[in-house]
Amino acid sequence: MGQKINPLGFRLGTTQSHDSIWFAQPTNYSENLKEDKIIRDCIMNYITQKTDRYVKTGPYTLAIGRIKIQKRIDLLQVIIYIGSEKNLLLEDEPRTIEELKMNVQKKVNCGNRELKIEIKILPNVYGDANILAEFIGYQLKNRISFRKAMKKAIELAEQAGTKGIRVQIAGRIDGKEIARVEWMREGRVPLQTIRAKMDYCAYTVRTIYGVLGIKVWIFLNNE
């Protein structure tokens, strides 16, 4: 079961909530879903462009944990959770929010809805699966050994007080001709316990040898 079901979707309604919160009639559901995808892609494209403009000084310069979207009849609210206070998005926050608003409004028809974008800092950076996966990808791009990158990510997760973590990398690791899967685990990772609060991320990174798939499971606590 743990290999066939997304750990977050499996726990919806118990320990996990939706990243998009809105109500729509069945006829409008697909349009709302598409709108969410466009908003997230627009934000990620803006971050990619910003990354090209600035030299990264560390793994968390533009790290994003999650993007949450809330919709009402008169409001479209987007909350971006970032990894640290040294994030480039906070360097000039009012200007960044204005640029993001302009980019989103070009792609999405807001109509009579007010568009609000907020940037929040995650209280526990190293306990977020998305940021750890991005950290591993950043290390692999810089040709650091995959074992060293995985061990470092596990150390960071342990420092954050997590109860268990599993990291998996798949693809042409270290440029080998045959693709393979390598993984490491520390602590408990109960994938089949619904009440176990898990965080999960599937992340792809492009290296000079090809595309590598990174998966991170983090066991936070029991409810």
Side-chain angles (χ1 to χ4, degrees), residues 56-63 131 134-135 138-139 156:
K56 275 197 170 187
T57 55
Y60 303 111
T61 324
L62 277 165
I131 290 176
E134 190 176 332
F135 168 73
Y138 179 78
Q139 299 287 313
L156 292 172

Side-chain angles (χ1 to χ4, degrees), residues 160-194:
T162 57
K163 294 192 173 182
I165 176 172
R166 177 179 170 176
V167 179
Q168 178 180 297
I169 300 175
R172 287 186 58 195
I173 301 169
D174 289 340
K176 302 291 183 184
E177 290 185 7
I178 298 174
R180 68 186 196 275
V181 178
E182 295 282 349
W183 62 277
M184 285 186 185
R185 185 178 65 195
E186 193 69 39
R188 290 178 58 228
V189 186
L191 293 178
Q192 297 188 36
T193 307
I194 297 177

Side-chain angles (χ1 to χ4, degrees), residues 81-212:
Y81 290 90
I82 61 173
S84 72
E85 294 177 0
K86 294 181 181 178
N87 200 298
L88 282 174
L89 294 179
L90 292 177
E91 191 178 41
D92 188 0
E93 191 177 347
R95 184 183 170 187
T96 299
I97 289 172
E98 275 304 313
E99 287 179 359
L100 282 170
K101 276 186 180 180
M102 286 173 62
N103 290 347
V104 171
Q105 284 170 347
K106 284 177 187 175
K107 300 282 184 181
V108 175
N109 181 21
C110 294
N112 296 324
R113 296 175 297 179
E114 181 188 358
L115 176 62
K116 278 189 180 179
I117 296 177
E118 290 181 46
I119 300 173
K120 292 186 178 180
I121 300 168
L122 288 166
N124 194 354
V125 179
Y126 303 111
D128 189 272
N130 293 276
I131 290 176
L132 276 180
E134 190 176 332
F135 168 73
I136 295 167
Y138 179 78
Q139 299 287 313
L140 295 174
K141 270 187 179 180
N142 289 318
R143 303 190 191 181
I144 291 171
S145 165
F146 74 95
R147 290 190 193 279
K148 190 175 179 182
M150 287 198 289
K151 283 179 182 176
K152 183 63 178 174
I154 289 170
E155 283 176 19
L156 292 172
E158 285 178 341
Q159 288 172 13
T162 57
K163 294 192 173 182
I165 176 172
R166 177 179 170 176
V167 179
Q168 178 180 297
I169 300 175
R172 287 186 58 195
I173 301 169
D174 289 340
K176 302 291 183 184
E177 290 185 7
I178 298 174
R180 68 186 196 275
V181 178
E182 295 282 349
W183 62 277
M184 285 186 185
R185 185 178 65 195
E186 193 69 39
R188 290 178 58 228
V189 186
L191 293 178
Q192 297 188 36
T193 307
I194 297 177
R195 292 198 174 274
K197 190 170 183 181
M198 302 289 299
D199 195 8
Y200 168 76
C201 174
Y203 184 80
T204 56
V205 58
R206 295 183 182 276
T207 66
I208 58 170
Y209 304 117
V211 177
L212 296 178

